[in-house]
Amino acid sequence: MAVSKMVGARVKRVEDPRLITGAGTYVDDIRMVDMLYGAVVRSPIAHGRIRRIDTKAARERPGVVAVYTAKDLQFAAPLPNAWNLTGIRVTRHDPLATERVRMVGDGVAFVVAESRYGARDAADVVDVDYTELRPVSDPERALRKGAPNVWDNAPGNEAYRTEVGDRAAVDAAFASAFKTVSLRVVNQRLIPTPIETRGVVARWDRGLEQLTVWSSSQIPHLLKTNIAGVLGLPEQKVRVIVPEVGGGFGCKLNIYAEEILAARAAMLLNRPVKWIEERRESFASTIHGRGHVHYVEMALSREGKILGLRNRFIADLGAYAQVNTEAIPTLANLVLSGVYDMGAIHSELIAVYTNLPPTDAYRGAGRPEGVHAVERIIHAAAHALDMDPTEIRRRNLIAKDRFPFTAKTGVTYDSGNYEANLDLALTVSKYAELRAEQARVNAGGTHLMGIGVAIYIELSGFNPSGAGGGIGWESGTVRFEPTGKVTIYTGVSPHGQGQETTFAQIAADELGVPFEDITVLHGDTQMVQYGMGTYGSRGTAVGGAALVKAIDRVKDKAKRIAALLLEASPEDIVYDQGGLYVGGVPGRAVTVQEVAGTAYLHVDKLKNEIDPGLEATATFDPTNFTWPYGTYIAVVIIDRETGEVKLRDLFATDDVGRVISPLLVAGQVHGGIAQGVGQALFEGARFDENGQPLTGSLMDYAVPIASELPAYVLAATETPTPVNPLGAKGVGEAGTIGTTPAVANAVVDALQQFGIDEVEMPITSERIWQALRNATQTKKGGRR
Amino acid sequence: MIPVAFDYEAPATVADALKLLSRLGDRAKVVAGGHSLIPTMKLRLAQPEVLIDISRIAELRGITTDGNHLVVGALATHAQVASSDLVRRQAPLLAEVAGIIGDPQVRNRGTLGGSLAHADPAADYPAAALALDVEVVARGPRSERTIPITRFFRSLLTTALRPNELIVAVRVPKAARGQGGAYVKLANKASHYAVVGVAASVQVTRGRISAIAVGVTGAGSTPRRAGRVERALLGSPPDVAAIERASASAAEGLDLLSDIHGSAEYRAHITRVYTRRAIDAALGRTGVARAA
């Protein structure tokens, strides 16, 4: 490899100037002659039968071109669900509800009009007559006898049940334990809330019989394949273009009804159709995240060794199976060993249908829920054993010489040096000083200080065929242009992750061309070779690895061309920082720019021995997931009288493998932390018993803003992964996964002296106040 | 988030605005900064046929003095009030509250008159207006009248303003010697409106509380003065125990709200605690030392 200059350097994002100055093009910026606008008529009730839909008044409004209900539209297939888990009760998801609505926000009609305002006005006067059915809006209540059935073919609302580990071994561990602890931990529903909501523009080219769909998506190619499938079009006649995307966090890793509806309407009307999601629609009909209730227990030896972990959890799937709805909860099972060498593990997952929006991938997707359960219960264990929470963790860490390590959950960790990471975190946070300060603050009487520790692990680099049969391979193409400039085409679909920068850094070093001479393209299926998109912290770990393979191939070809030009043997050519020379004779050299020019424009020099052109494509399918980890330490200050909680400090020490772009890694960690704090202290989708949203807009759903967050302190250890040539593990979800349990543990750490061992998230001032009040009353009333 | 179609009028004078109001009645809504009305319209909860935009009326702007009063034009934005030297000197509590409403965008658009006329039960301004005992100057088609703030807020989102009246200004008594004010707020984490907000204005003369007014917002369906607290403390020395005792009754008589942002029980508790803290903080700004 060439001398590293760009990789590891603090390079600013090349994406930023256009995004910051408003020069980026998002879906809603696309305007076309003759364009129509769509609006979805949505169910105002959570459960009911559709008796009648009267579209007459809507159709008669000025500017309305069409009003479609399910009866008016034909599809080759329902909306896709990528997973068919064993024993699952399969449900059907149509682009518009046919006979029954199953959640508030379910689409029942699609209005198309000459203007966006006209479409919205017409949607308001579509008259739908429902017979209301009793809904169920809580996953645990959904499992109770007598609960209404969301799906007739899933009586009792159970979608599936699955388990990992060894139940008998765990029972034995608990039987022999010195101490056991148990908690009920709720991982509440979250609303992804990207700044840019979803949006679609669809255009049918009658002459070419080609459909082009612009969508705010994380998965252009998979979207293309699935649009073709649902609409019954030949796939080569479908093109998907993903322009700038204003945040995804997993919620745009999906195939949504509106992408299909806009496309079908464009085909039927032979005019472009745009649909832009309103914020309230986004809250009601884009997927939600999380939605788990964990009953977690831990068995411990006198010395604090983890003998066994027992977990049973209920996952709220919501009303429909979107693309990954069913699979996401199963990921929680795969992280239950955390960074610890546990004696035995058993976990059972019960997935449940409810009359709420579908859950699916949201930053972390299954892993935050599992890690949270483990990190909360180990905190409880430390308290029960009167041990420092860092000490109990240290005693159970998997030692650095035991990798690859196969956990009791059945998964194999790639690499790690957990103790070094913990040590660095303790140093950076001045942990001992924090504990001393805590004693002083808590003696003062007015405030309570809490220190929370969490060591997270995640499986990243989604989604290798070699570990679980995934389809998460990736592609990359490197093309030298005749002038020696470089275009990179990647199958990943960055939407904030910054691979236009990261990949240019990698290519600049590997190819020895100036960083400015490289452009990274993505997101247009007609331009870029097939790829899997961006999700699951895979962009660099998998897409970057494919790029490195393609770079190696293009360099090989450059050497062969140079060999011809220099009249040497290809094996003797050295490729060094953009120059190719004959080994030992640096004077006999050409630049890679000269080689590129030759490859395209002076092909006579190739003597028909080498094909013209200088580009290469490669794909990469990793053998395993990567397993990033890190130690997070949070400090909270609680107002004893009001319960108000302030996150004062957040120390994040991550190990995400080899770091390509430190500034972007820090950015990802920062954003992740904000969302992790969001879950711990701010966010939570709430519904009443009728399935009506109580947090239907940003006036009621709280996301943290900058002024409510502390300045984070970041540190890093770097343990490369052996599963890809870059050594990078992925960082997209790290901050989210580590932060939530660290903050929750900090709150409990502050309150534990009152016998409080759990406060449900989001941890609001009122919940803390109630917990303190209940604890005081219990104390007064004696032990109950 | 698309409102129903509406007509738009932008009168240049108060007289023209009042004519429009009289003619259109219920069909129209007055808009100034639009930071309460427009979001409601986008949710289609409000569907006025006509918007009367008063934001171009020059005579509603400006901050001046009139004897012992500051006269703040109805169109003064929160940002203008917060940064006005006159307000900061003569009614620092008003400037303080103006400076924490919403965010910079809201403060650059939202107006004092608009906030009071909308009478959102969780808005910040009403607490300060009550604690400062301001007067609302309302002009109708025939005459102008002055409404004491204690008679202004009637019930949820309802004020003493008649349908054909406009707020033209707010008269704020200038701060007196020995007077201090403070506002404390538990913010709704989503909207940043007050779950509970308490503003207190206290004057200490010769070691005793000679004037006190406490305005409570957010807790109940209407912003209210904490009259019982005021009466308990008026004339007493400003000592910690007396304030604590008096504050215990701060939530009495409030029609307490209860929602996902705070139960009635919690709002009552916070009202009591924050009343005490607001009075303590206000006393701290009178320049008079408190007895322990």
Side-chain angles (χ1 to χ4, degrees):
Chain A
M1 186 174 146
V3 178
S4 191
K5 288 175 297 194
M6 296 305 290
V7 169
R10 295 176 67 81
V11 176
K12 286 190 182 174
R13 297 207 317 168
V14 299
E15 294 91 336
D16 283 343
R18 69 172 191 267
L19 298 178
I20 291 169
T21 59
T25 300
Y26 295 83
V27 171
D28 203 13
D29 295 318
I30 296 165
R31 287 180 182 80
M32 288 179 197
V33 174
D34 259 2
M35 192 162 75
L36 298 168
Y37 297 80
V40 180
V41 179
R42 298 188 184 277
S43 170
I45 60 170
H47 201 185
R49 285 187 194 289
I50 301 170
R51 283 168 57 186
R52 191 181 51 89
I53 305 177
D54 185 350
T55 61
K56 186 160 180 289
R59 277 183 284 120
E60 285 171 356
R61 286 191 67 90
V64 171
V65 177
V67 182
Y68 301 114
T69 66
K71 288 195 185 93
D72 306 315
L73 301 174
Q74 275 76 50
F75 301 104
L79 292 171
N81 160 22
W83 303 87
N84 230 329
L85 302 174
T86 315
I88 195 161
R89 280 127 158 195
V90 179
T91 55
R92 185 184 167 94
H93 191 187
D94 292 300
L96 288 173
T98 51
E99 292 155 2
R100 199 155 142 190
V101 290
R102 291 185 169 81
M103 61 179 209
V104 172
D106 227 346
V108 294
F110 190 61
V111 176
V112 186
E114 298 284 348
S115 77
R116 199 173 164 190
Y117 285 65
R120 184 66 183 78
D121 287 344
D124 260 13
V125 297
V126 170
D127 187 17
V128 188
D129 197 1
Y130 297 99
T131 305
E132 289 204 39
L133 298 171
R134 207 154 52 93
V136 60
S137 58
D138 176 277
E140 290 196 283
R141 266 183 307 188
L143 287 172
R144 285 190 205 145
K145 257 209 176 76
N149 283 329
V150 181
W151 290 93
D152 294 339
N153 65 328
N157 295 313
E158 189 178 305
Y160 69 88
R161 211 175 258 252
T162 183
E163 53 190 303
V164 292
D166 184 338
R167 190 191 293 266
V170 166
D171 288 347
F174 274 76
S176 68
F178 169 70
K179 220 160 206 142
T180 65
V181 284
S182 65
L183 283 178
R184 175 180 185 269
V185 181
V186 177
N187 221 281
Q188 79 273 28
R189 262 182 182 259
L190 302 177
I191 303 179
T193 326
I195 287 182
E196 184 211 18
T197 54
R198 291 186 294 121
V200 186
V201 173
R203 187 182 66 189
W204 174 246
D205 186 314
R206 193 162 55 95
L208 293 171
E209 294 187 317
Q210 188 188 35
L211 176 72
T212 304
V213 175
W214 289 259
S215 182
S216 183
S217 176
Q218 300 174 218
I219 45 167
H221 291 277
L222 290 168
L223 180 58
K224 178 198 70 165
T225 303
N226 281 285
I227 286 175
V230 178
L231 292 177
L233 289 171
E235 188 176 351
Q236 81 278 14
K237 293 292 191 184
V238 180
R239 176 185 187 185
V240 167
I241 301 174
V242 171
E244 304 289 1
V245 173
F249 314 119
C251 81
K252 294 172 181 172
L253 156 59
N254 230 307
I255 316 295
Y256 282 103
E258 295 83 0
E259 287 162 329
I260 303 300
L261 293 170
R264 179 58 94 207
M267 291 173 69
L268 290 170
L269 300 168
N270 203 20
R271 289 174 68 180
V273 174
K274 177 190 273 192
W275 171 81
I276 299 293
E277 185 181 54
E278 298 182 13
R279 179 63 64 189
R280 277 167 74 89
E281 281 187 295
S282 179
F283 275 30
S285 63
T286 289
I287 62 99
H288 288 180
R290 319 275 192 266
H292 289 197
V293 183
H294 286 254
Y295 293 87
V296 58
E297 299 171 77
M298 192 171 264
L300 297 133
S301 75
R302 187 186 298 270
E303 297 75 33
K305 290 292 286 181
I306 302 168
L307 305 175
L309 179 90
R310 183 189 279 148
N311 187 42
R312 177 175 172 274
F313 70 107
I314 292 112
D316 177 1
L317 301 184
Y320 295 98
Q322 285 278 356
V323 168
N324 295 297
T325 298
E326 291 157 350
I328 299 298
T330 66
L331 297 174
N333 270 337
L334 305 185
V335 294
L336 288 178
S337 190
V339 289
Y340 313 109
D341 182 8
M342 297 187 182
I345 294 176
H346 182 261
S347 175
E348 182 178 36
L349 152 62
I350 304 159
V352 179
Y353 294 116
T354 59
N355 291 109
L356 300 180
T359 52
D360 202 310
Y362 171 62
R363 206 167 189 174
R367 291 150 289 164
E369 297 92 317
V371 167
H372 193 77
V374 174
E375 290 303 306
R376 286 289 302 111
I377 195 70
I378 198 167
H379 180 95
H383 183 67
L385 293 171
D386 199 19
M387 205 177 269
D388 187 276
T390 62
E391 180 56 28
I392 190 170
R393 286 176 167 87
R394 187 186 296 280
R395 290 185 186 187
N396 288 283
L397 292 177
I398 299 161
K400 67 177 178 200
D401 56 5
R402 295 188 61 199
F403 293 88
F405 176 85
T406 300
K408 296 290 191 296
T409 48
V411 293
T412 300
Y413 297 171
D414 56 347
S415 63
N417 185 349
Y418 303 147
E419 190 160 23
N421 186 271
L422 172 61
D423 284 337
L424 179 60
L426 297 183
T427 306
V428 167
S429 64
K430 301 196 176 86
Y431 184 77
E433 289 176 33
L434 287 176
R435 286 289 174 201
E437 184 193 355
Q438 180 183 29
R440 287 196 302 276
V441 171
N442 290 359
T446 60
H447 289 82
L448 299 165
M449 178 170 162
I451 303 161
V453 181
I455 310 182
Y456 77 87
I457 188 154
E458 59 164 324
L459 63 164
S460 292
F462 269 64
N463 175 5
S465 66
I471 52 165
W473 57 274
E474 200 43 81
S475 68
T477 295
V478 180
R479 177 198 291 168
F480 272 96
E481 307 293 349
T483 51
K485 309 293 180 187
V486 177
T487 308
I488 290 168
Y489 300 89
T490 175
V492 300
S493 193
H495 49 281
Q497 292 80 1
Q499 269 92 11
E500 290 176 33
T501 306
T502 320
F503 284 7
Q505 286 178 265
I506 294 170
D509 280 0
E510 297 281 339
L511 296 171
V513 299
F515 180 73
E516 303 72 30
D517 284 0
I518 303 166
T519 294
V520 179
L521 299 175
H522 53 86
D524 181 344
T525 62
Q526 197 161 289
M527 174 176 78
V528 182
Q529 72 289 339
Y530 210 97
M532 288 298 162
T534 291
Y535 53 88
S537 302
R538 68 188 306 278
T540 300
V542 190
L547 172 65
V548 168
K549 277 178 77 175
I551 288 172
D552 285 344
R553 288 183 189 173
V554 93
K555 283 167 78 173
D556 279 345
K557 183 165 184 183
K559 283 185 197 170
R560 286 167 53 216
I561 296 172
L564 270 185
L565 297 177
L566 300 172
E567 295 173 346
S569 156
E571 298 80 60
D572 294 337
I573 300 293
V574 178
Y575 190 130
D576 183 29
Q577 301 192 52
L580 296 97
Y581 61 88
V582 181
V585 197
R588 276 174 68 198
V590 287
T591 66
V592 71
Q593 288 79 7
E594 287 169 323
V595 170
T598 304
Y600 291 94
L601 305 176
H602 305 288
V603 290
D604 57 313
K605 291 183 183 164
L606 302 180
K607 300 175 180 164
N608 281 346
E609 288 177 28
I610 302 175
D611 292 337
L614 188 56
E615 78 172 70
T617 298
T619 56
F620 177 72
D621 179 17
T623 51
N624 189 6
F625 291 103
T626 58
W627 297 82
Y629 56 89
T631 306
Y632 277 53
I633 297 176
V635 178
V636 299
I637 304 288
I638 291 170
D639 182 322
R640 218 171 143 161
E641 205 174 16
T642 63
E644 286 165 272
V645 54
K646 182 181 160 59
L647 176 64
R648 194 189 73 182
D649 304 302
L650 200 289
F651 303 94
T653 304
D654 289 286
D655 193 320
V656 297
R658 181 152 163 254
V659 171
I660 311 296
S661 197
L663 214 50
L664 272 76
V665 165
Q668 284 283 3
V669 171
H670 275 232
I673 291 172
Q675 282 175 310
V677 177
Q679 173 164 22
L681 300 180
F682 291 78
E683 303 184 36
R686 300 269 302 268
F687 298 84
D688 69 11
E689 291 194 348
N690 296 316
Q692 291 292 332
L694 300 173
T695 46
S697 79
L698 286 166
M699 288 297 276
D700 288 307
Y701 186 84
V703 292
I705 58 176
S707 61
E708 291 164 322
L709 296 165
Y712 318 131
V713 178
L714 268 45
T717 57
E718 209 169 305
T719 309
T721 178
V723 310
N724 67 56
L726 279 171
K729 290 191 172 188
V731 66
E733 298 157 294
T736 321
I737 302 174
T739 300
T740 308
V743 174
N745 281 340
V747 170
V748 172
D749 188 63
L751 302 178
Q752 210 127 37
Q753 53 176 304
F754 304 100
I756 296 164
D757 54 16
E758 166 70 4
V759 184
E760 195 173 317
M761 300 188 294
I763 301 169
T764 60
S765 54
E766 178 164 9
R767 282 179 168 162
I768 292 176
W769 174 72
Q770 278 294 4
L772 279 168
R773 208 164 62 138
N774 293 344
T776 324
Q777 281 169 357
T778 310
K779 220 172 217 171
K780 276 181 192 156
R783 277 186 166 253
R784 270 181 249 170
Chain B
M1 310 301 238
I2 293 177
V4 170
F6 55 86
D7 286 329
Y8 176 83
E9 300 277 359
T13 65
V14 173
D16 286 348
L18 290 172
K19 267 183 220 154
L20 282 165
L21 254 188
S22 293
R23 182 158 60 80
L24 296 165
D26 282 354
R27 295 162 50 209
K29 272 277 187 192
V30 174
V31 65
H35 270 61
S36 297
L37 181 60
I38 303 295
T40 320
M41 288 170 63
K42 284 182 167 183
L43 296 174
R44 301 196 164 206
L45 297 172
Q47 305 192 349
E49 286 174 43
V50 186
L51 276 193
I52 303 173
D53 181 354
I54 59 169
S55 66
R56 297 178 198 182
I57 302 176
E59 60 195 293
L60 297 180
R61 295 182 194 285
I63 300 170
T64 56
T65 58
D66 175 18
N68 286 327
H69 283 84
L70 273 179
V71 181
V72 183
L75 281 182
T77 64
H78 311 330
Q80 287 162 352
V81 172
S83 62
S84 154
D85 281 341
L86 213 50
V87 181
R88 288 157 75 108
R89 256 195 336 268
Q90 310 282 10
L93 176 58
L94 194 70
E96 177 189 347
V97 171
I100 58 113
I101 298 171
D103 49 39
Q105 292 94 322
V106 169
R107 294 195 286 274
N108 283 330
R109 291 284 308 169
T111 66
L112 176 58
S115 175
L116 295 181
H118 183 59
D120 191 300
D124 296 304
Y125 255 150
L130 285 163
L132 289 169
D133 215 8
V134 306
E135 297 167 332
V136 177
V137 184
R139 195 180 300 165
R142 269 170 228 99
S143 61
E144 192 169 281
R145 63 180 179 129
T146 299
I147 310 167
I149 194 72
T150 47
R151 281 190 235 145
F152 185 75
F153 300 112
R154 288 289 170 81
S155 58
L156 186 71
L157 300 170
T158 309
T159 69
L161 211 58
R162 295 183 189 121
N164 58 2
E165 283 181 325
L166 266 187
I167 297 179
V168 292
V170 175
R171 293 171 60 83
V172 187
K174 289 182 183 170
R177 182 183 289 275
Q179 192 179 339
Y183 181 60
V184 287
K185 161 185 178 177
L186 179 72
N188 173 327
K189 284 187 169 175
S191 68
H192 296 201
Y193 274 80
V195 175
V196 172
V198 182
S201 176
V202 188
Q203 188 179 13
V204 177
T205 315
R206 286 185 292 277
R208 291 190 179 271
I209 294 175
S210 55
I212 177 167
V214 177
V216 180
T217 190
S221 57
T222 319
R224 281 269 182 274
R225 286 268 290 267
R228 203 183 275 253
V229 178
E230 297 169 0
R231 286 192 294 279
L233 287 172
L234 189 64
S236 81
D239 71 74
V240 170
I243 294 163
E244 170 124 35
R245 245 188 342 268
S247 299
S249 64
E252 282 177 28
L254 287 174
D255 171 26
L256 289 164
L257 297 173
S258 192
D259 58 28
I260 59 167
H261 304 295
S263 65
E265 196 185 15
Y266 185 59
R267 280 182 152 97
H269 172 72
I270 295 295
T271 303
R272 291 188 283 267
V273 173
Y274 274 28
T275 296
R276 189 193 76 222
R277 291 183 182 180
I279 295 171
D280 273 344
L283 281 167
R285 292 173 182 176
T286 57
V288 179
R290 268 167 300 157

